[in-house]
Amino acid sequence: MDNSEIIIFDLLVVGLAEFFRPDTQYQLPKYPYPDFLQRASNTLALKMTTFFYPRTLEGLLALLEKPLQTWYPLVIPKEFDSEYGLIYDRALSEEASQYFYEQLIKRGQLPEFASVKVQQIALENFQFLRLLDKLQQANEQDAERSQREYVLLRQFLITNPYTTLGQLRNTFSQTRYISIDDVGDLYEDCKENESYWCCDHCGPLIKKHGHLRGIKPSVCNDHRKNLSYVRRISEKQGLRRLKFGIHWRVCLPGIPEIRLFHALEKLHKQQPEYLCEVQLWPGIDRYDLGLQFGDGSVWAVDIKDYRNPYDLALQLKPIFGEGDLRYDESFYVIPNHRLHQRQDYIEILREEATGLPKSTHLFSDTAFEERVRAKIMHLRDLRKNKVPAIREYLGSA
Ligand SMILES: [Zn+2]
């Protein structure tokens, strides 16, 4: 693959990520273009002799919104789905955000030319990884406490995308491995006299042209203010909001994890002899949920929320299960909304995820809950019917 062409692509994504940073109210600058767009557009112009090349910034932004496969003249990295554009609704598109966070930042592949501001976004993201690393190290000598603190931290970030210093103090004053400042650094100050909104399905919302917009439209894209899951955050002094990268990488994927956890906890409370324990993120996030049943069997569950089943299939591998994390069956669980978007989602996944062992099952979250219920019923019937079943058998014989 031509590396210099990939650099141009990365330059565009990084530049647009800065240009459309959600916390800055950008103003369309007059000509000349911002520096990165100038550089990228010069190269594109050279390659686009046969295309109409836009002469204004407005025109260029309109072009960047179109599916790349319809116009982009250079190599597109395979990690970017070219059916999508780089921007959407005057913000970085979901596909471009995914590329920015999952490819460039997470893998530390931020190009050298990235500006100080972009380096800053990357640093913010490493603050969480640094904490995770600290807890994983502590896990070797102090497994129980570090695990407890990890669950506390992660659950807090998912369920409190807005917080205050007072709440941080109340929650993290007794923790040994995590300081109040560590967690505080994952948030940024909200502006005074500004109203803030949150969606129960996708977290903090951004105001755009008088509308509320979610962080990832493919997860959730209806944010009319009168909907029950769209909430206005009451004004508080010193209100803080999760930083964008933490929202994207920790809070958003955590929402279906916590939802399934609560549903299973409810089953556990109803039938503690059969579903004995539901553990969140065992082994500091080796997998998402560990279920222990009355017959001693253990299930390991990972929840994966990807728009595209082909992309997800590439990520699926056997779930880690050594030592204390040993399990009998493992499950990849897909949030229902993905199956509404694409009914053959699970079939595609089953066909494409060829590296998975037979003991790993693929389910939607409702189907998985049903499976757990069926297991509980089975265990209950086994116990209840052991004696009557034999009697019945003998009676009918
Ligand atoms: Zn939402």
Side-chain angles (χ1 to χ4, degrees):
M1 195 181 285
D2 185 341
N3 202 36
S4 66
E5 296 202 354
I6 297 291
I7 290 174
I8 291 298
F9 185 86
D10 290 356
L11 174 72
L12 259 178
V13 172
V14 166
L16 290 168
E18 179 180 347
F19 192 57
F20 290 118
R21 252 204 104 157
D23 54 347
T24 50
Q25 284 293 325
Y26 79 94
Q27 293 285 324
L28 268 190
K30 301 266 179 267
Y31 197 82
Y33 297 166
D35 199 36
F36 77 94
L37 271 179
Q38 188 70 59
R39 257 180 80 184
S41 56
N42 287 346
T43 313
L44 290 175
L46 283 174
K47 302 269 180 177
M48 289 182 76
T49 46
T50 55
F51 290 83
F52 168 73
Y53 192 77
R55 289 176 185 279
T56 61
L57 181 58
E58 275 294 345
L60 180 58
L61 293 178
L63 182 65
L64 292 169
E65 197 150 333
K66 295 198 170 109
L68 289 196
Q69 65 184 9
T70 63
W71 67 273
Y72 192 76
L74 307 178
V75 173
I76 301 167
K78 64 175 186 333
E79 295 83 5
F80 188 97
D81 187 341
S82 62
E83 284 180 29
Y84 296 91
L86 287 166
I87 59 183
Y88 173 74
D89 193 17
R90 286 305 154 92
L92 202 59
S93 72
E94 182 172 334
E95 197 62 29
S97 294
Q98 174 96 6
Y99 184 80
F100 180 64
Y101 283 100
E102 303 297 325
Q103 288 302 318
L104 300 179
I105 288 193
K106 186 174 164 188
R107 301 188 185 191
Q109 287 176 350
L110 213 52
E112 279 167 35
F113 53 74
S115 69
V116 175
K117 233 180 180 176
V118 170
Q119 308 277 6
Q120 184 66 32
I121 304 178
L123 273 181
E124 286 168 13
N125 209 59
F126 282 116
Q127 285 164 340
F128 180 75
L129 296 180
R130 218 188 50 222
L131 267 179
L132 178 63
D133 192 50
K134 200 156 120 188
L135 288 164
Q136 269 165 346
Q137 278 178 27
N139 196 241
E140 284 164 23
Q141 319 86 35
D142 191 0
E144 202 189 309
R145 184 155 187 156
S146 56
Q147 172 69 24
R148 209 167 50 227
E149 293 193 3
Y150 177 75
V151 171
L152 181 73
L153 170 70
R154 185 143 185 173
Q155 211 166 0
F156 186 88
L157 297 176
I158 298 165
T159 49
N160 298 283
Y162 291 92
T163 193
T164 58
L165 188 56
Q167 192 187 18
L168 289 171
R169 282 204 188 109
N170 284 341
T171 315
F172 297 98
S173 60
Q174 305 287 323
T175 45
R176 181 179 297 165
Y177 300 108
I178 308 165
S179 73
I180 294 163
D181 284 347
D182 283 340
V183 190
D185 282 347
L186 306 174
Y187 289 83
E188 62 199 3
D189 291 334
C190 292
K191 293 191 190 87
E192 271 179 49
N193 306 320
E194 171 94 67
S195 59
Y196 287 92
W197 294 79
C198 193
C199 167
D200 291 341
H201 304 158
C202 68
L205 300 169
I206 302 153
K207 261 179 276 169
K208 269 254 143 100
H209 319 303
H211 292 285
L212 295 172
R213 193 187 135 94
I215 191 169
K216 207 171 190 180
S218 84
V219 168
C220 187
N221 203 18
D222 187 359
H223 295 111
R224 282 167 293 156
K225 292 178 180 169
N226 59 350
L227 292 167
S228 62
Y229 55 87
V230 175
R231 291 178 294 114
R232 190 181 167 147
I233 301 298
S234 55
E235 270 179 54
K236 276 184 211 117
Q237 188 127 42
L239 189 68
R240 289 168 154 199
R241 180 177 59 171
L242 265 191
K243 286 177 176 169
F244 188 85
I246 308 296
H247 178 190
W248 179 278
R249 300 240 354 254
V250 182
C251 171
L252 183 69
I255 293 172
E257 297 168 10
I258 293 289
R259 199 188 312 138
L260 184 58
F261 172 68
H262 285 155
L264 296 172
E265 268 287 293
K266 211 167 139 193
L267 288 177
H268 158 68
K269 290 209 171 98
Q270 288 161 357
Q271 310 276 351
E273 309 162 66
Y274 304 112
L275 178 56
C276 310
E277 198 191 347
V278 183
Q279 205 189 356
L280 258 179
W281 308 301
I284 308 207
D285 204 25
R286 283 316 189 104
Y287 42 87
D288 292 334
L289 296 169
L291 279 64
Q292 171 112 39
F293 290 97
D295 61 352
S297 60
V298 176
W299 289 3
V301 184
D302 238 354
I303 296 138
K304 294 281 184 206
D305 190 4
Y306 278 60
R307 173 168 56 193
N308 184 335
Y310 293 96
D311 289 346
L312 175 55
L314 297 173
Q315 306 294 325
L316 297 186
K317 46 183 194 283
I319 295 175
F320 179 88
E322 313 260 305
D324 291 348
L325 298 168
R326 168 207 84 71
Y327 56 78
D328 301 286
E329 310 241 10
S330 58
F331 298 82
Y332 277 113
V333 171
I334 316 301
N336 280 326
H337 61 95
R338 295 299 178 196
L339 277 67
H340 291 309
Q341 290 163 5
R342 187 163 192 162
Q343 296 194 339
D344 54 355
Y345 195 105
I346 297 275
E347 282 81 71
I348 294 172
L349 209 52
R350 200 164 280 143
E351 223 151 84
E352 297 291 318
T354 46
L356 284 184
K358 274 218 173 83
S359 59
T360 305
H361 312 283
L362 303 168
F363 277 104
S364 73
D365 47 12
T366 2
F368 179 72
E369 267 183 68
E370 276 311 308
R371 179 77 196 258
V372 174
R373 274 205 193 89
K375 169 91 178 171
I376 291 172
M377 299 277 267
H378 174 69
L379 291 175
R380 207 175 52 188
D381 288 352
L382 267 185
R383 186 176 293 181
K384 270 195 191 153
N385 295 340
K386 223 175 207 167
V387 179
I390 293 168
R391 234 182 255 144
E392 204 173 290
Y393 171 77
L394 289 174
S396 68

